[in-house]
Amino acid sequence: MSSKTPIFFIGATGFIGGSVLQAILAHPKANTFEITALVRAEAKAKALESTLGIKTVIGSLQDYALLTESAEKAHVVFQIADADSEDPMKAILAGLKARFEKTGDKPILIHTSGTALLADDSRGEHTSPTITSDLDLAALARLPASALHHSVDLLVNAADADGYATTYVVLPGIIWGRPAGPLFDGPAPIARGSMVQIPWLAAPYVQRGRPGVVGKGAGRWPNVHIDDNADAFFRLFDAALFDLARVSHGREGYFFVEGGEHGMDEVVRACGEALVGLGLVQEAAPDVFTAEERAKYFGSDMFAFLLFSNARCTGDRLRKEVGWAPKHTTDEFIKSIPKEVEDFAKTLKA
């Protein structure tokens, strides 16, 4: 290895990835890191290089040879761009395996999945009593490979089991809040600066003139502020790089990231009230989406049911192993929704 730790970063211009990259660059030993980011657009690559002073390679997750080559050059790989595509992960793992076999250096992979892998089929009809801890290895082992995101998680686990990489799977809940910093500030931000879930709800509400729910809107999901999420990645990365014995990896290395949980009824109510206040709908109280509306507004029942399902969990491993302590609460999340709706409304006038 060179005098600097080579890091390959995938997802630098995203909502999650941009905030994590900024956190890593604020590490006390950041001057010992050599970061290369995968970027699709040349303009974004130049902006990243000039703003943050990191290297870039131009390409996408479909450039498998480039992924393999770049991963082979790295001691640490962050994958914060796609939780569901197996082929890009196979390409990354091929590079990590080649590095290990050629150099003896055992690389680190930090992969981003999501708590949607816990989503049930309640269809909004009830609140599930099941709350899964990431310390409950038996519960995690029972998850089917068909669970959302999970087939990729299992590829990551297998690399650790095969001994050529040390792997971690990070599973955030619904991420909210507004990140700040060089990637997000200014008139032409480099990275996306807002969550996507509120526009997913607000858009059909405006089109149909009223909020809607699936079933009774009784599902519950974990949530985490974008800064708390970035801190979770930072702490995990720091432990993996400098205090490996302190943190679990492989099959045990699942890390739910949650600062609390919310009911979908709370989110729908806050969204509806904000839309009424903006004069975009007349009625804040929701009714039930029909089957035709689910198809029209969400594309499929699968996505509509997912939004209103239960995915309840506790992120105990981060708290136990790396001392993670989120600073933001669910109450703050609900109070942030009117601002998200207001910004969504501005896009309607653009």
Side-chain angles (χ1 to χ4, degrees):
M1 293 175 60
S2 68
S3 58
K4 290 192 173 185
T5 301
I7 298 171
F8 181 44
F9 200 101
I10 304 170
T13 61
F15 181 50
I16 303 174
S19 63
V20 173
L21 178 57
Q22 288 186 161
I24 299 305
L25 287 170
H27 193 284
K29 296 185 179 180
N31 63 342
T32 68
F33 306 152
E34 185 176 79
I35 300 176
T36 300
L38 177 72
V39 186
R40 288 191 297 268
E42 187 172 346
K44 290 277 180 113
K46 290 180 178 178
L48 274 173
E49 291 169 358
S50 62
T51 302
L52 300 181
I54 66 173
K55 298 180 179 180
T56 59
V57 291
I58 305 296
S60 74
L61 289 175
Q62 284 67 54
D63 294 321
Y64 302 135
L66 178 61
L67 290 176
T68 298
E69 177 187 356
S70 300
E72 184 178 344
K73 295 177 181 178
H75 178 62
V76 181
V77 173
F78 283 92
Q79 197 299 103
I80 316 181
D82 187 337
D84 296 298
S85 299
E86 294 184 21
D87 287 342
M89 180 52 67
K90 290 176 180 177
I92 293 166
L93 293 174
L96 297 183
K97 187 173 184 180
R99 180 181 182 85
F100 178 71
E101 291 177 344
K102 292 177 183 179
T103 70
D105 174 52
K106 191 173 185 179
I108 294 165
L109 172 62
I110 300 176
H111 169 65
T112 310
S113 181
T115 55
L117 93 168
L118 298 174
D120 62 13
D121 193 31
S122 62
R123 306 186 180 195
E125 292 292 344
H126 65 270
T127 299
S128 172
T130 302
I131 303 175
T132 303
S133 168
D134 51 13
L135 297 175
D136 188 346
L137 297 180
L140 295 173
R142 288 193 297 268
L143 292 170
S146 59
L148 197 62
H149 312 324
H150 199 41
S151 65
V152 182
D153 300 341
L154 294 175
L155 291 174
V156 173
N157 293 166
D160 193 284
D162 288 344
Y164 64 84
T166 303
T167 68
Y168 308 88
V169 178
V170 185
L171 307 99
I174 303 299
I175 302 175
W176 60 278
R178 296 299 175 95
L183 289 180
F184 302 96
D185 298 341
I190 300 171
R192 183 172 60 82
S194 61
M195 66 186 298
V196 298
Q197 287 84 0
I198 297 305
W200 284 348
L201 290 175
Y205 292 176
V206 171
Q207 293 179 53
R208 70 196 297 267
R210 183 178 184 178
V213 296
V214 172
K216 299 174 182 175
R220 295 188 69 82
W221 276 73
N223 63 77
V224 63
H225 189 274
I226 185 69
D227 292 342
D228 288 331
N229 183 69
D231 183 56
F233 276 87
F234 175 93
R235 289 171 180 269
L236 180 59
F237 163 76
D238 180 71
L241 197 58
F242 299 112
D243 195 5
L244 182 59
R246 184 158 63 98
V247 64
S248 300
H249 58 89
R251 191 180 70 85
E252 296 183 358
Y254 281 84
F255 300 85
F256 292 142
V257 191
E258 53 75 26
E261 70 168 14
H262 59 270
M264 283 304 299
D265 57 341
E266 298 176 89
V267 174
V268 170
R269 182 168 57 251
C271 190
E273 290 173 354
L275 288 169
V276 168
L278 293 168
L280 293 173
V281 302
Q282 299 302 311
E283 175 65 58
D287 59 3
V288 179
F289 285 114
T290 65
E292 291 76 18
E293 285 180 318
R294 294 198 302 267
K296 176 181 179 180
Y297 297 125
F298 300 109
S300 70
D301 272 347
M302 176 183 173
F303 186 61
F305 292 158
L306 175 66
L307 282 177
F308 288 90
S309 64
N310 294 282
R312 307 183 71 188
C313 63
T314 53
D316 299 312
R317 195 172 293 278
L318 281 167
R319 291 170 168 90
K320 176 183 178 182
E321 295 186 354
V322 298
W324 181 68
K327 298 177 181 177
H328 298 275
T329 66
T330 295
D331 185 56
E332 290 176 77
F333 168 46
I334 300 302
K335 290 178 180 177
S336 76
I337 290 174
K339 172 61 175 171
E340 298 292 339
V341 173
E342 181 181 338
D343 286 349
F344 162 75
K346 293 175 183 176
T347 68
L348 301 178
K349 302 174 183 178

